Amino acid sequence: MAVGHEIFDPIENLDPLSESYFPEYPKDIELEVGQVLEARHPYDPYVIASASIDTILKHGYFMASFKSTPKELKRPTRYCFHITSAYIYPVGFCERNGIALRKGEETSSMGLSAPLHLLPTRPTHQFSEQLKFEATDVNDPQYLGPVTVQKVAEHMLYIHFDSWPLEDPSNSAWISADSPDIYPLGYAELIGHKLQCDPVSKNQNN
């Protein structure tokens, strides 16, 4: 409610949150309804798709609509982002990094690009292709598994969960290099968590 978004079944008599509870962001970057951006798809985290801003909220938050959502959902996917999110990108990010962009109707009907290129540059990192570590599965966060970096695109890493079929993109995901959901090899053993790791041979025999 504090950011201006409707809440279903809200709790009554809550004290409003002050601005100090929200992340800092550059207030000189003005977002507008109808502007286009690129973003990691909330349903398919292995996809980067075009989206358009349909609602401006408070404290740096906004709603974006993905019109490239699969037809079986019967409506566009809407998702709430903060302007500092690692998973939104200026138009041209995919083209610049050789990534296939999932496009929707908004790319032809909307012409203005969100000025995300004005955001501060993200810190550099040391990740490279074929590097291995452990990560939370963004499709099912209860799972933690070993992954291999398949592609590096600026601050984004395209990771694949080892021992799962590479040809199935649902076994992969885009994740930020500064994500708190990635860990060094051995982390799961250290904390006593079972690794998500089905052998490829087992999948092929079923």
Side-chain angles (χ1 to χ4, degrees):
M1 295 176 64
V3 302
H5 196 288
E6 181 182 0
I7 294 181
F8 296 98
D9 297 324
I11 299 175
E12 297 181 357
N13 302 319
L14 285 178
D15 294 329
L17 295 176
S18 69
E19 190 170 349
S20 63
Y21 283 91
F22 299 95
E24 295 183 359
Y25 66 99
K27 296 180 175 60
D28 56 335
I29 298 179
E30 297 184 3
L31 300 181
E32 299 178 2
V33 171
Q35 289 178 335
V36 179
L37 62 147
E38 298 175 6
R40 187 181 75 174
H41 199 285
Y43 287 173
D44 300 326
Y46 55 90
V47 168
I48 296 179
S50 58
S52 59
I53 298 174
D54 62 34
T55 306
I56 302 297
L57 302 172
K58 303 174 183 177
H59 306 301
Y61 291 91
F62 64 92
M63 298 296 297
S65 177
F66 295 80
K67 296 183 179 178
S68 58
T69 298
K71 293 181 179 180
E72 57 266 24
L73 295 179
K74 299 181 179 180
R75 66 183 186 278
T77 298
R78 298 180 72 235
Y79 196 77
C80 184
F81 289 101
H82 192 264
I83 192 173
T84 61
S85 171
Y87 300 107
I88 59 174
Y89 326 101
V91 171
F93 173 84
C94 283
E95 181 178 8
R96 184 169 65 247
N97 289 285
I99 301 168
L101 174 68
R102 179 187 287 179
K103 299 180 180 180
E105 297 175 4
E106 66 274 20
T107 56
S108 58
S109 61
M110 307 293 183
L112 296 177
S113 300
L116 302 182
H117 63 283
L118 299 177
L119 289 170
T121 303
R122 292 190 173 274
T124 58
H125 59 82
Q126 302 298 316
F127 290 100
S128 58
E129 293 183 8
Q130 301 306 309
L131 196 68
K132 293 181 178 292
F133 50 87
E134 295 174 8
T136 300
D137 187 340
V138 294
N139 289 303
D140 194 347
Q142 67 178 314
Y143 290 109
L144 176 68
V147 301
T148 301
V149 178
Q150 301 295 320
K151 184 177 178 63
V152 177
E154 300 176 25
H155 68 285
M156 295 299 298
L157 311 174
Y158 188 68
I159 60 173
H160 173 76
F161 281 84
D162 295 346
S163 298
W164 293 82
L166 186 60
E167 60 272 15
D168 184 352
S170 66
N171 298 322
S172 302
W174 285 103
I175 195 165
S176 176
D178 60 358
S179 170
D181 294 322
I182 58 178
Y183 320 94
L185 292 174
Y187 177 80
E189 182 180 8
L190 178 67
I191 65 171
H193 196 292
K194 183 179 179 180
L195 279 178
Q196 176 194 14
C197 187
D198 261 3
V200 171
S201 58
K202 179 180 178 180
N203 291 332
Q204 292 174 340
N205 291 331
N206 290 341

